[in-house]
Amino acid sequence: MSNEARSGEVPVLSTHGLTIRFGGHVAVNNVSCEFRPGTLTAIVGPNGAGKTTYFNLMSGQLPPSSGTVRLYGEDITHLGAPQRTKRGIGRAFQLTNLFPNLTVLENVRLTVQSRAGMGLNMVSMWASHIELIEKAEHFLHLVALTERRHENAAALSHGDKRKLEIAILLALEPDIFMFDEPTAGMSVDEVPVVLDLIQHIKAMGDKTILLVEHKMDVVRSLADRIVVLHNGYLVADGDPTEVMNSPIVQEAYLGAGVADHV
Amino acid sequence: MLRTLLSGDLPRSRMLSATLLVVFIGLALAPFVVSGARSLNVAATICVFVVLVASYDLLLGYTGVVSFAHTMFYGIGAYGVGLALTGMGPSWTAIAVGTVGALLVSLVLALVIGLFSLRVRAIFYAMITLAVASAFAVLASQLSDFTGGEDGLTFKVPELLQPSFHLLEATIMGRAIDGKLITYYLLFFSALGLFLFMLRIVNSPFGRVLQAIRENDFRAEALGYRTVIYRTLANCLSALIATLAGVLMALWLRYVGPKTMLSFEIMTDILLIVVIGGMGTIYGALIGSALFILAQNYLQVLMGQTSAALSGVPFLANLFHPDRWLLWLGVLFVLSVYFFPTGIVGKLRAGTLAKVDRRP
Ligand SMILES: Nc1ncnc2c1ncn2[C@@H]1O[C@H](COP(=O)(O)OP(=O)(O)OP(=O)(O)O)[C@@H](O)[C@H]1O
Ligand SMILES: [Mg+2]
């Protein structure tokens, strides 16, 4: 990863003819797209459009049927999720996907530990690595979960689970942040915390942010670019106002009445 | 000091600390407080089982992997020293060669089983280990020229460990300092060392990853942990420690045979002890083994006495007949699982669970 590569000449992440079939159903169909640093791209589309599946293909949870994924121009299609995470692709999940019987703090501490490359250390005590614990506490503070840190993740409310999901993503300190409906199911007063965090990441300037979001006001306020998926196809891609006003989006997406989807 | 020895994983319950202390002191002083070869044999068996069961807990309780091949690794350790001592004569070199050879065989087998099958679904993994372990047990009894077949092998151990050897003329607390005593303490301190080693592993950064994998392997991958590597490592560690437990048992019994070392019964005993003691606690192995082995050895005696005392009452006397001990052990097991689903350690710790991950 040279400086030149990071500067935006080469896209950070790109997909080329990415396709996946589940039996006869093509969930993601020949999608080619490039993502550049310092840009927040909103990926929108109706339920079942293939947004989460597209994410899974990029972050390595699923192998594609055909097509490639590239990171700084390098083909990473053959790499699994752990290797992609290590290379800077950070993923938060739509359906919260935590370690339910470990504490909130431990959920994040494990993430910090992975980032620190300490997982294979068998000789020291986990509790003696105070720096990892403190770092984890820092991320919990960012999402306002400090008070709950000693509770099991399973005991959290839905909104707090979503916040923990975000704390884990932050703790990965990735170059590429992939948010899959981060505010879905949150109460109105919890949403601003999340939006502020995303704004904050954006303000860092060099991060590549991918955001799947149904709430149009959120998309409007954050996105630099909008990509529309429909039935697995990429049907529109470009400047937010342009895309929102294009006939295909009006028909395929906004007309579908999912703007208030939770 | 104690905190470091226990890797920061303190019992966290007064009752649990007391129970652990009783078992520990009991085992430490066993040769001086119990009399007779049988009692010492029980204590030695407990020492070995603590190691065997704790190493299984590493896999089942911490990593969430169900394996039926644990006795196979135990058997490899036992047969390793058994064959070496038979073939090379009673020397420490033979023990070293047998142990290292057995560890290598176990390592290779654990690696192969792990890499080939830990990617597949848990149920297939359990099936594969079952198949490999059965094949191994059959092999051990079929190769009778080599392994002694069903009868097994009786062999001599180095002089220092022989019962007829006396280190001192004098006795301590009425107890002769003979080879049997030395062997017992060899077992005791090896078991203690291995136990503390396992306690360290589960409380290391690596051990925390194992628990994360047990909880949600999909997410552990997304955090950057390659679960196949972690599972395979846990599998190898567990197998190697079980092998050492087998070595210790063979040295104690001066005998190896398929029934004592490889039978499926031992596998079910291990499973029962892990569950009774408390999965994912390591300490459960200590309490569970002590309780289970004591019950296995003394329930029959106790029942014989009860039955004799009740000889006037026909039905009850029959119910407590010593031949029914297995039935009662079963009843005890069902009751303990019903009342302590998280095991004895889980139950004793329940009141303090909220503090589990609090920083020192
Ligand atoms: N593992 C799978 N096996 C079979 N079909 C799948 C699988 N994963 C997704 N699908 C199907 O692929 C299609 C796209 O699903 P996906 O979850 O990607 O949609 P989405 O755009 O994220 O929808 P939502 O807005 O509801 O989250 C759906 O029809 C879904 O049923
Ligand atoms: Mg989705």
Side-chain angles (χ1 to χ4, degrees):
Chain A
M1 286 180 238
S2 64
N3 273 336
E4 183 202 19
R6 282 188 182 278
S7 72
E9 296 296 314
V10 179
V12 175
L13 187 68
S14 59
T15 66
H16 307 265
L18 207 58
T19 303
I20 188 162
R21 289 182 199 88
F22 296 115
H25 180 67
V26 189
V28 171
N29 206 336
N30 197 25
V31 174
S32 300
C33 198
E34 297 181 341
F35 303 98
R36 290 173 194 279
T39 312
L40 189 149
T41 309
I43 297 173
V44 301
N47 292 121
K51 306 179 295 291
T52 299
T53 309
Y54 186 44
F55 263 24
N56 284 338
L57 292 170
M58 288 192 281
S59 57
Q61 266 73 35
L62 280 174
S65 308
S66 62
T68 56
V69 179
R70 289 175 194 275
L71 185 66
Y72 301 108
E74 185 197 342
D75 189 346
I76 57 160
T77 318
H78 60 284
L79 294 182
Q83 292 101 318
R84 294 192 199 188
T85 304
K86 286 234 176 313
R87 290 182 183 215
I89 301 183
R91 168 79 192 275
F93 292 86
Q94 175 177 13
L95 303 166
T96 38
N97 191 349
L98 306 161
F99 303 111
N101 299 311
L102 303 182
T103 64
V104 169
L105 178 59
E106 183 62 7
N107 269 268
V108 183
R109 200 201 60 83
L110 277 163
T111 316
V112 176
Q113 176 181 294
S114 167
R115 179 89 173 88
M118 256 212 301
L120 290 171
N121 179 335
M122 299 184 196
V123 291
S124 63
M125 284 184 256
W126 70 270
S128 69
H129 296 280
I130 308 279
E131 71 288 358
L132 300 188
I133 300 172
E134 280 170 351
K135 206 162 172 193
E137 284 179 336
H138 163 72
F139 291 113
L140 283 176
H141 178 73
L142 289 182
V143 299
L145 275 181
T146 305
E147 310 241 293
R148 317 219 86 120
R149 66 189 184 283
H150 296 307
E151 286 174 37
N152 278 355
L156 294 182
S157 68
H158 177 79
D160 283 347
K161 280 183 185 160
R162 308 255 37 174
K163 287 192 205 159
L164 178 54
E165 185 71 40
I166 292 167
I168 291 174
L169 178 58
L170 294 173
L172 281 173
E173 301 180 291
D175 297 326
I176 301 161
F177 288 76
M178 302 174 76
F179 292 97
D180 198 348
E181 299 192 37
T183 64
M186 272 191 170
S187 66
V188 188
D189 51 319
E190 288 172 315
V191 175
V193 181
V194 176
L195 298 189
D196 283 353
L197 279 169
I198 298 177
Q199 286 286 11
H200 177 77
I201 298 165
K202 221 180 135 179
M204 291 181 197
D206 59 342
K207 303 298 180 194
T208 309
I209 309 171
L210 276 59
L211 171 71
V212 169
E213 184 57 72
H214 275 294
K215 293 187 183 117
M216 274 305 140
D217 50 332
V218 171
V219 171
R220 230 173 260 123
S221 71
L222 289 173
D224 303 309
R225 169 189 173 198
I226 295 182
V227 168
V228 185
L229 290 184
H230 187 57
N231 287 334
Y233 289 100
L234 191 160
V235 294
D237 177 0
D239 177 72
T241 26
E242 242 170 66
V243 171
M244 301 266 248
N245 294 329
S246 69
I248 190 160
V249 172
Q250 293 291 329
E251 184 195 337
Y253 182 56
L254 301 175
V258 287
D260 55 354
H261 167 92
V262 282
Chain B
M1 173 66 187
L2 185 67
R3 173 164 234 125
T4 311
L5 263 181
L6 299 181
S7 303
D9 190 356
L10 303 179
R12 296 195 304 271
S13 141
R14 228 173 258 167
M15 270 301 289
L16 180 58
S17 309
T19 318
L20 289 170
L21 215 58
V22 167
V23 177
F24 175 74
I25 293 175
L27 289 175
L29 300 179
F32 300 101
V33 295
V34 300
S35 56
R38 171 152 187 207
S39 314
L40 198 58
N41 192 38
V42 170
T45 310
I46 293 175
C47 289
V48 172
F49 264 72
V50 169
V51 176
L52 188 59
V53 171
S55 62
Y56 191 68
D57 192 27
L58 202 63
L59 212 52
L60 180 69
Y62 282 88
T63 322
V65 172
V66 180
S67 158
F68 290 112
H70 211 59
T71 34
M72 174 177 82
F73 297 117
Y74 177 64
I76 289 173
Y79 272 93
V81 279
L83 290 170
L85 283 169
T86 310
M88 299 168 63
S91 68
W92 291 97
T93 324
I95 294 181
V97 169
T99 306
V100 172
L103 286 173
L104 284 176
V105 172
S106 288
L107 184 65
V108 169
L109 269 173
L111 263 179
V112 171
I113 298 179
L115 288 177
F116 275 101
S117 54
L118 280 173
R119 287 172 185 276
V120 301
R121 294 238 311 276
I123 181 74
F124 293 121
Y125 180 73
M127 290 298 137
I128 287 167
T129 55
L130 187 59
V132 173
S134 312
F136 190 86
V138 170
L139 203 69
S141 41
Q142 296 283 303
L143 295 173
S144 49
D145 290 345
F146 188 51
T147 62
E150 289 293 335
D151 297 335
L153 295 169
T154 307
F155 48 85
K156 280 198 143 143
V157 290
E159 198 192 351
L160 184 67
L161 303 180
Q162 285 171 14
S164 54
F165 174 81
H166 284 260
L167 189 65
L168 301 170
E169 287 304 315
T171 61
I172 295 178
M173 291 166 70
R175 168 87 214 187
I177 308 304
D178 59 8
K180 205 69 193 168
L181 185 96
I182 295 169
T183 315
Y184 180 79
Y185 280 109
L186 175 70
L187 259 63
F188 175 80
F189 284 108
S190 305
L192 181 63
L194 288 169
F195 184 83
L196 293 176
F197 173 63
M198 285 184 270
L199 208 51
R200 173 51 62 97
I201 288 178
V202 301
N203 287 292
S204 69
F206 173 78
R208 303 301 280 193
V209 179
L210 297 186
Q211 294 171 63
I213 291 173
R214 176 195 68 195
E215 286 283 307
N216 185 347
D217 57 348
F218 177 81
R219 189 55 190 258
E221 289 254 322
L223 294 189
Y225 296 116
R226 297 181 69 178
T227 55
V228 182
I229 292 180
Y230 285 85
R231 283 207 177 104
T232 306
L233 274 173
N235 201 31
C236 291
L237 271 170
S238 163
L240 291 177
I241 297 170
T243 307
L244 291 176
V247 168
L248 295 176
M249 200 60 190
L251 289 178
W252 177 256
L253 295 176
R254 287 167 285 135
Y255 164 80
V256 290
K259 219 174 137 39
T260 26
M261 303 302 182
L262 290 169
S263 75
F264 196 70
E265 231 167 85
I266 303 174
M267 195 62 241
T268 48
D269 286 354
I270 296 173
L271 268 167
L272 292 185
I273 299 173
V274 169
V275 175
I276 292 174
M279 278 201 279
T281 61
I282 295 291
Y283 286 116
L286 184 58
I287 297 184
S289 302
L291 208 68
F292 189 87
I293 308 256
L294 283 174
Q296 213 175 30
N297 282 278
Y298 295 110
L299 200 60
Q300 233 172 333
V301 179
L302 203 69
M303 285 174 57
Q305 287 165 356
T306 317
S307 181
L310 292 171
S311 55
V313 200
F315 176 71
L316 283 182
N318 198 16
L319 198 63
F320 286 102
H321 191 277
D323 287 350
R324 311 256 183 287
W325 77 278
L326 211 56
L327 169 79
W328 284 102
L329 199 63
V331 170
L332 280 180
F333 176 66
V334 172
L335 286 179
S336 79
V337 170
Y338 185 79
F339 286 110
F340 316 125
T342 49
I344 297 170
V345 171
K347 182 77 183 172
L348 292 178
R349 270 177 172 176
T352 42
L353 249 187
K355 295 183 202 138
V356 167
D357 278 300
R358 213 146 277 185
R359 183 142 48 108

